């Protein structure tokens, strides 16, 4: 048994959050979810952190909610919605809203709410042997933790409905072809490639990334007029940043920029 259900490491402005219950494919129990929520909030609130990676130990990313914690028979059934409101929803909202990029690094199977966490990243990377499974309907539940929001936006209604209802396990190549993941790497190169990307992103103009997230989060729900206005407001803010001045100076001086995230 792993003592620490979530590991948190910092290097070069990148926080790496690792789900760490490999013996049960990182199934999400209360201890893991509490630690994950705390780790995500810590990375979100630390200004020195300019990119975040969420990955996992062992051969899986996450098998979703820990089913061994669900009593088979109980007079007082567990309030799953309450668990979502208390633990999952704030964490997914923080991942989407934090003013820095989050890269989810899917090293193996991502099932149920584990798949939702995988899809919540700004950039989703997968290893060649990763797989994705909307396991919910198989046990009589509805997709949660954002899956019904992310899936239709990424893969379209036809595939979202079939994936949710049929609960077929799809491989990384299929997920890539559906537009659910940005890139697939050979398994033994995934972590190195993810770290390279996160380090690169941690050295980019972080406020630009924050604004991109703000502009794209929910953009499909806004009108063109609202979106144009939001872009203009964000551009006013960014036009006043140190990193914008540095980006333009570096371009004109034909040198590499040195962005500070300010
Ligand atoms: C597990 C689990 C698991 C415990 C594998 N729990 N031990 C619901 C309620 C409340 C609030 C929050 O949200 C949710 C939403 C959800 O996430 S519902 C969906 C829950 N997840 C599932 O239904 C997936 C269940 N797991 C599977 O279908 C398979 O294990 C997958 C397809 C993920 C992987 O299959 P395999 O690669 O064949 O591995 P395995 O089945 O042999 O699992 C390895 C071990 O992990 C095994 O333990 P053992 O002691 O036999 O080695 C499993 O019992 C354990 N494990 N998933 N969710």
């Amino acid at each position: 048994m792993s003592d620490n259900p979530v590991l948190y490491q910092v290097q070069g402005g990148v926080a790496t959050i690792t789900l760490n219950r490999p013996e049960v494919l990182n199934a999400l129990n209360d201890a893991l979810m509490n630690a994950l929520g705390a780790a995500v909030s810590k990375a979100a609130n630390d200004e020195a952190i300019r990119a975040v990676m969420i990955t996992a130990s062992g051969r899986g990313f996450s098998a979703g909610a820990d089913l061994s914690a669900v009593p088979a028979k109980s007079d007082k059934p567990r309030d799953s919605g309450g668990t979502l409101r208390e633990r999952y929803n704030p964490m997914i909202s923080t991942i989407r809203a934090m003013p820095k990029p989050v890269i989810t690094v899917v090293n193996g199977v991502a099932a149920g709410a584990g798949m939702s966490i995988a899809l919540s990243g700004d950039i989703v990377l997968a290893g060649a042997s990763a797989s994705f499974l909307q396991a919910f309907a198989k046990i009589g539940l509805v997709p949660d933790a954002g899956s019904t929001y992310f899936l239709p936006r990424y893969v379209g209604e036809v595939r979202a409905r079939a994936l949710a209802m049929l609960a077929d396990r799809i491989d990384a190549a299929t997920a890539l072809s559906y537009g659910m993941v940005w890139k697939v790497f050979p398994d033994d190169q995934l972590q190195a490639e993810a770290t390279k990307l996160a380090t690169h992103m941690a050295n980019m103009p972080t406020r630009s990334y924050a604004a991109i997230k703000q502009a794209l989060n929910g953009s499909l729900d806004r009108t063109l007029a609202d979106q144009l206005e939001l872009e203009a407001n964000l551009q006013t803010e960014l036009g006043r940043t140190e990193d914008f001045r540095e980006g333009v100076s570096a371009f004109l001086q034909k040198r590499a920029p040195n962005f500070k995230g300010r």
Side-chain angles (χ1 to χ4, degrees):
M1 284 281 283
S2 37
D3 291 341
N4 230 335
V6 170
L7 309 176
Y8 188 89
Q9 288 160 312
V10 175
Q11 190 165 12
V14 177
T16 301
I17 297 170
T18 306
L19 312 185
N20 191 38
R21 297 183 74 214
E23 63 281 0
V24 285
L25 301 175
N26 304 303
L28 308 165
N29 64 1
D30 288 353
L32 188 152
M33 285 307 297
N34 288 342
L36 182 58
V40 165
S41 294
K42 185 172 168 182
N45 295 328
D46 183 346
E47 281 188 17
I49 300 300
R50 291 170 60 192
V52 179
M53 284 201 292
I54 301 179
T55 187
S57 304
R59 69 176 177 91
F61 179 75
S62 172
D66 189 329
L67 298 179
S68 69
V70 180
K73 249 185 173 184
S74 170
D75 293 340
K76 196 165 172 270
R78 200 180 151 114
D79 175 9
S80 299
T83 305
L84 288 168
R85 286 190 198 94
E86 194 183 323
R87 296 198 169 88
Y88 289 72
N89 298 358
M91 181 200 62
I92 296 290
S93 299
T94 304
I95 290 172
R96 294 301 276 194
M98 75 168 78
K100 58 195 82 176
V102 178
I103 302 169
T104 47
V105 186
V106 187
N107 52 307
V109 63
M115 178 166 168
S116 306
I117 295 172
L119 296 183
S120 72
D122 297 302
I123 308 267
V124 185
L125 303 180
S129 71
S131 57
F132 297 83
L133 168 62
Q134 289 279 289
F136 311 89
K138 280 192 171 175
I139 54 168
L141 293 179
V142 64
D144 62 19
S147 267
T148 60
Y149 183 92
F150 301 129
L151 263 184
R153 284 169 171 75
Y154 297 176
V155 306
E157 281 279 333
V158 172
R159 285 171 173 162
R161 282 169 198 263
L163 287 170
M165 290 182 174
L166 305 179
D168 286 344
R169 187 170 175 175
I170 60 167
D171 62 17
T174 306
L176 182 69
S177 75
Y178 283 6
M180 272 166 46
V181 308
W182 170 237
K183 278 185 183 170
V184 175
F185 293 104
D187 291 326
D188 61 353
Q189 291 169 29
L190 176 67
Q191 297 300 335
E193 290 289 346
T195 302
K196 193 162 87 181
L197 180 67
T199 305
H200 164 73
M201 294 182 88
N203 286 291
M204 290 290 282
T206 310
R207 289 188 57 183
S208 172
Y209 286 150
I212 290 167
K213 290 183 73 154
Q214 213 181 319
L216 290 181
N217 283 346
S219 78
L220 297 186
D221 307 317
R222 288 188 285 269
T223 62
L224 174 61
D226 288 348
Q227 199 65 18
L228 289 169
E229 188 54 23
L230 176 59
E231 289 171 2
N233 287 335
L234 291 169
Q235 210 66 297
T236 295
E237 280 177 33
L238 292 174
R240 293 174 178 149
T241 61
E242 259 181 54
D243 280 347
F244 173 58
R245 286 198 295 279
E246 168 62 8
V248 174
S249 302
F251 174 76
L252 295 175
Q253 293 163 16
K254 300 190 189 302
R255 63 171 172 82
N258 179 14
F259 295 120
K260 301 273 171 49
R262 294 193 290 262

